[in-house]
Amino acid sequence: MVSLRDVADAAGVSIATASRALGGKGRVSEATTRLVRETADRLGYQVNALGKALREGSDGVVGIVVPMVSNPFYAALVHEFEDQLSRLNLKLLIADSHGELDRELERLEALAGRRVRGIFAVPAYFDRSRPAISKIARQLPLVQVDRRVEDDSALAFVGVDNADGIGQALRHVAEQGAGTVVFVGADDRTSVGRERRRAFETVVEQLGLAAQEPIIDRYLFEFGLSAAERLRDRPTLPDAVIAGDDLIATGLLAGFARHGVSVPGDVLITGFDGTILADICNPTLTTVQQPMATIAEAGVEELLRKIDDTGAAGAHVRLPTTLRRGDSTGARVTSSASHSAT
Amino acid sequence: MVSLRDVADAAGVSIATASRALGGKGRVSEATTRLVRETADRLGYQVNALGKALREGSDGVVGIVVPMVSNPFYAALVHEFEDQLSRLNLKLLIADSHGELDRELERLEALAGRRVRGIFAVPAYFDRSRPAISKIARQLPLVQVDRRVEDDSALAFVGVDNADGIGQALRHVAEQGAGTVVFVGADDRTSVGRERRRAFETVVEQLGLAAQEPIIDRYLFEFGLSAAERLRDRPTLPDAVIAGDDLIATGLLAGFARHGVSVPGDVLITGFDGTILADICNPTLTTVQQPMATIAEAGVEELLRKIDDTGAAGAHVRLPTTLRRGDSTGARVTSSASHSAT
DNA sequence: CTGAAAGCGCTTACAG
DNA sequence: CTGAAAGCGCTTACAG
């Protein structure tokens, strides 16, 4: 490929002048500038970002490590981050940890090794990810997103107020007349799993609701599907189920549909995240909406702050969620006549 | 950060020996190797990928430009690519063109500028993306994925046999008893839009089906929603609607549900892609399944071939689709008694 | 305004 | 087996 050397030679100037003319920095006569730029265009020159980065210490790349891009929530989040960063002329290097510890460490090190300007990370584990996250954070600017690790007061974090989100969902179903509720969510391996689960217990108590034994596993559609079955097999169905995320909620919806349990006729369901899935399922899903764009905005802002001032303390940003109403918590009348004749 | 220089100094060897010891290349005594490695570990040395890349001409990064990561199909595809590439120790730099021409060019140039080893691109336009794609393909290995540009015999391409996929969907609904069908898909701006639309016309003729006026726009859930309305307003509903992708299909499903049109009771629906959405909607969606993992595999293989042999001709790989049956084309009996009493 | 030179961090012939 | 040196492509003090 054509290098700066080629352009300089073709234009008959030094490589230093060529660099300055192209970069628009330093004093260069208008004539030379024009000449160099024309030559560069003619030769199809494109600056080698690698050389530039080596010289400058870093290129305009930022990394993000998510547990699973194919989860619609992370897909949407990555999309928003890409969008925010592109405005700052920054590129996004994306890595997928598959929610696995060793893969996560490997990805983080790869990113650090290429001296990205900073890293956004959604930790795979609340406890076991801590060493890796801390180690990398010591090397370069890092902001935790959505999930965090334990004892992270020194680390930056941007996410939502999960406790309040679960509270919104619970208060909503209570208003809809639910008295007995159940939590179907993820385990304690992630901060988000913990926070939502604990919040459920706390708020249930506050509101004086009755809670059935929770069903706990991972954030997967398939889990929701099987959870619906287990719920159906119980002596009595709860009035409402609060799902840990939209994937589980839509799984529950699909599972109930297969077994002739009507939603919201027989049971109400709420999700969490506010992904496109909530519109696609039938009935549409009432869900706790995360402000994806705002999360990305705040995340980028935090990272920029860390980049500017390496010693900056790690701020913890908790954004508010909003309840997005769907039909899954509609009036408790049967919508599908075939299941329970009115 | 600690550099190779630091490690060499601390170990009391030359930088060349340190490099060889760490890289495992060239003859180095076992003792020195151990010494250097221990020193590197102790100092927390991590090779600077930038310096290495500059020296070697490229680092292990491959780029991918998709129209929209948040589309579940592309999210899944990106996930598969990341997976395939990670086995080869390659990283994935992801860029989002938003389906816009200038953004696409900008992203492609950014990727080329940082001398990625190669690029996977899903062109935004069939015709207008051609100059950009061709230009970049002249600079480095490029493989078109899912969509292609016109006159691309010199460019590599990996995607599915869209014509056959639409054929599978049409034959299926015909078997289910559909006589009148309609296509609700995307416009001709993308190759995929063209191929699926044309195939629909061809196969309808072959099978002797009657086709209503198609409804054409973009691959969006919202479009499916509004298309359902337009369909309902027609004097007669078709027996089946063949959607251009899962997003449109689930939009149609949601739209019909809102207006009390029963699927598959009143009309059958098929999607295209085989995303997670097909399981999430209710009824579940019959869709033309794309072999995502195989596409990624074949794509990587093509790119590797191009990397090895720059002059290699651009192979066009068309993978087969399979019909994934859901309830949206189930027996044409009414599933929901409230809509049309049996 | 312009050029020669140094140096970012690394790897790999080239000598020894 | 090991080291000195060149060079990947670039930018930026430093002179002039």
Side-chain angles (χ1 to χ4, degrees):
Chain A
M1 296 198 72
V2 22
S3 72
L4 187 57
R5 159 96 279 145
D6 302 322
V7 176
D9 286 353
V13 299
S14 77
I15 190 180
T17 300
S19 174
R20 278 186 287 250
L22 258 19
K25 308 195 181 177
R27 319 272 80 215
V28 188
S29 80
E30 181 131 342
T32 353
T33 302
R34 201 167 22 235
L35 172 64
V36 171
R37 295 207 168 155
E38 272 165 11
T39 313
D41 277 354
R42 181 161 54 77
L43 267 43
Y45 172 70
Q46 218 156 253
V47 61
N48 182 328
L50 260 21
K52 183 170 174 165
L54 182 57
R55 165 71 213 223
E56 297 181 337
S58 168
D59 52 352
V61 175
V62 165
I64 187 168
V65 182
V66 296
M68 188 85 54
V69 228
S70 51
N71 176 327
F73 172 61
Y74 293 119
L77 207 54
V78 165
H79 186 79
E80 296 293 345
F81 271 105
E82 208 271 349
D83 211 45
Q84 287 296 325
L85 291 169
S86 76
R87 291 180 201 183
L88 301 167
N89 246 302
L90 293 168
K91 313 282 169 279
L92 221 212
L93 196 58
I94 184 179
D96 200 315
S97 70
H98 289 41
E100 294 161 18
L101 207 61
D102 40 346
R103 206 154 176 147
E104 173 173 68
L105 175 60
E106 182 201 304
R107 295 295 195 278
L108 285 169
E109 286 186 331
L111 252 17
R114 31 185 344 292
R115 306 297 192 270
V116 291
R117 274 229 221 291
I119 295 182
F120 293 110
V122 180
Y125 288 82
F126 178 62
D127 45 10
R128 296 164 63 200
S129 289
R130 180 156 196 289
I133 298 282
S134 302
K135 179 187 164 198
I136 300 296
R138 239 172 282 126
Q139 301 184 44
L140 40 74
L142 181 149
V143 174
Q144 303 176 101
V145 176
D146 183 53
R147 317 209 289 221
R148 54 189 208 84
V149 296
E150 61 186 353
D151 304 331
D152 67 340
S153 51
L155 302 169
F157 166 77
V158 174
V160 295
D161 187 337
N162 288 297
D164 189 57
I166 290 294
Q168 291 170 343
L170 272 170
R171 282 190 294 276
H172 172 63
V173 297
E175 277 165 19
Q176 297 297 97
T180 305
V181 295
V182 66
F183 182 68
V184 177
D187 55 39
D188 283 1
R189 99 181 53 194
T190 67
S191 64
V192 157
R194 294 177 179 242
E195 291 171 6
R196 294 182 192 166
R197 184 179 179 172
R198 305 238 185 310
F200 177 85
E201 290 165 10
T202 310
V203 179
V204 157
E205 187 140 352
Q206 284 173 1
L207 299 181
L209 297 170
Q212 285 191 1
E213 180 76 12
I215 303 180
I216 304 296
D217 199 346
R218 322 275 313 249
Y219 292 117
L220 293 174
F221 175 78
E222 288 70 22
F223 165 52
L225 220 48
S226 69
E229 216 154 320
R230 291 172 56 188
L231 244 23
R232 201 203 45 155
D233 289 345
R234 291 186 173 178
T236 61
L237 220 49
D239 297 323
V241 16
I242 304 296
D245 83 341
D246 287 354
L247 239 20
I248 295 177
T250 50
L252 285 164
L253 234 30
F256 281 141
R258 288 186 195 176
H259 295 295
V261 176
S262 164
V263 177
D266 302 326
V267 59
L268 309 181
I269 296 184
T270 64
F272 204 113
D273 283 351
T275 59
I276 188 177
L277 304 185
D279 274 331
I280 281 172
C281 56
N282 176 15
T284 56
L285 184 68
T286 292
T287 182
V288 179
Q289 180 70 50
Q290 294 214 39
M292 275 91 140
T294 312
I295 291 173
E297 240 171 82
V300 169
E301 191 180 319
E302 272 314 306
L303 194 70
L304 254 29
R305 190 208 311 279
K306 283 251 174 194
I307 290 174
D308 286 347
D309 172 14
T310 314
H316 275 215
V317 180
R318 288 281 184 179
L319 269 4
T321 56
T322 51
L323 191 76
R324 170 170 152 196
R325 300 193 180 201
D327 297 329
S328 67
T329 57
R332 300 194 61 213
V333 293
T334 300
S335 65
S336 169
S338 59
H339 292 138
S340 52
T342 336
Chain B
M1 295 198 75
V2 22
S3 72
L4 187 56
R5 161 97 277 147
D6 302 322
V7 176
D9 286 354
V13 300
S14 78
I15 188 177
T17 298
S19 174
R20 279 186 288 250
L22 259 18
K25 308 197 182 177
R27 319 272 80 215
V28 188
S29 80
E30 182 131 340
T32 344
T33 302
R34 202 168 20 236
L35 171 64
V36 172
R37 295 207 169 155
E38 273 165 11
T39 313
D41 276 354
R42 182 162 53 78
L43 267 45
Y45 172 69
Q46 216 156 254
V47 60
N48 182 328
L50 260 20
K52 183 170 176 165
L54 182 57
R55 164 70 212 221
E56 296 181 337
S58 169
D59 52 351
V61 174
V62 166
I64 187 168
V65 183
V66 296
M68 186 87 52
V69 231
S70 51
N71 176 327
F73 172 61
Y74 292 118
L77 207 55
V78 164
H79 186 79
E80 295 294 345
F81 270 106
E82 207 271 350
D83 211 44
Q84 286 297 324
L85 291 169
S86 76
R87 291 181 201 183
L88 301 167
N89 246 302
L90 292 169
K91 312 281 170 280
L92 222 212
L93 195 58
I94 186 181
D96 200 315
S97 70
H98 289 40
E100 294 162 18
L101 206 60
D102 40 345
R103 205 152 176 149
E104 173 172 66
L105 176 59
E106 181 201 305
R107 296 293 195 278
L108 285 168
E109 286 185 332
L111 253 16
R114 46 184 328 297
R115 305 299 192 269
V116 291
R117 274 229 220 293
I119 295 182
F120 293 112
V122 180
Y125 288 81
F126 178 63
D127 44 10
R128 296 164 62 200
S129 288
R130 182 159 195 288
I133 298 283
S134 303
K135 179 188 165 196
I136 302 296
R138 239 173 282 127
Q139 302 184 42
L140 41 74
L142 181 149
V143 174
Q144 303 175 101
V145 176
D146 183 53
R147 317 209 289 219
R148 52 187 210 84
V149 297
E150 62 186 352
D151 305 330
D152 67 340
S153 51
L155 301 170
F157 167 76
V158 173
V160 295
D161 188 338
N162 288 298
D164 189 57
I166 290 293
Q168 291 170 343
L170 272 169
R171 282 190 295 276
H172 172 64
V173 297
E175 277 165 18
Q176 297 296 96
T180 306
V181 294
V182 66
F183 182 69
V184 177
D187 56 39
D188 282 0
R189 96 180 57 193
T190 67
S191 65
V192 157
R194 294 177 180 242
E195 291 170 7
R196 293 181 193 167
R197 184 178 179 174
R198 304 236 186 311
F200 177 86
E201 289 165 10
T202 309
V203 179
V204 157
E205 187 140 353
Q206 283 173 3
L207 298 181
L209 297 169
Q212 284 190 2
E213 180 75 13
I215 303 182
I216 304 297
D217 199 345
R218 321 276 312 250
Y219 292 117
L220 294 173
F221 175 79
E222 288 71 23
F223 165 51
L225 221 47
S226 69
E229 216 154 320
R230 291 172 56 186
L231 243 23
R232 201 203 46 154
D233 289 345
R234 289 187 175 177
T236 62
L237 221 48
D239 297 323
V241 15
I242 305 295
D245 82 342
D246 287 354
L247 239 19
I248 295 176
T250 48
L252 284 163
L253 234 31
F256 282 141
R258 288 185 196 177
H259 295 294
V261 175
S262 163
V263 177
D266 302 326
V267 59
L268 309 180
I269 296 185
T270 65
F272 204 114
D273 284 349
T275 58
I276 189 178
L277 305 185
D279 275 332
I280 283 172
C281 56
N282 176 15
T284 58
L285 184 68
T286 293
T287 182
V288 178
Q289 181 69 50
Q290 295 213 40
M292 274 92 139
T294 314
I295 291 173
E297 241 171 80
V300 170
E301 192 181 318
E302 272 312 307
L303 193 71
L304 255 28
R305 190 209 310 280
K306 282 252 172 191
I307 289 173
D308 286 346
D309 173 14
T310 314
H316 275 215
V317 180
R318 287 281 184 179
L319 270 5
T321 56
T322 51
L323 191 75
R324 170 169 153 198
R325 298 190 183 205
D327 297 328
S328 66
T329 56
R332 299 195 61 214
V333 292
T334 300
S335 64
S336 170
S338 59
H339 292 140
S340 51
T342 332

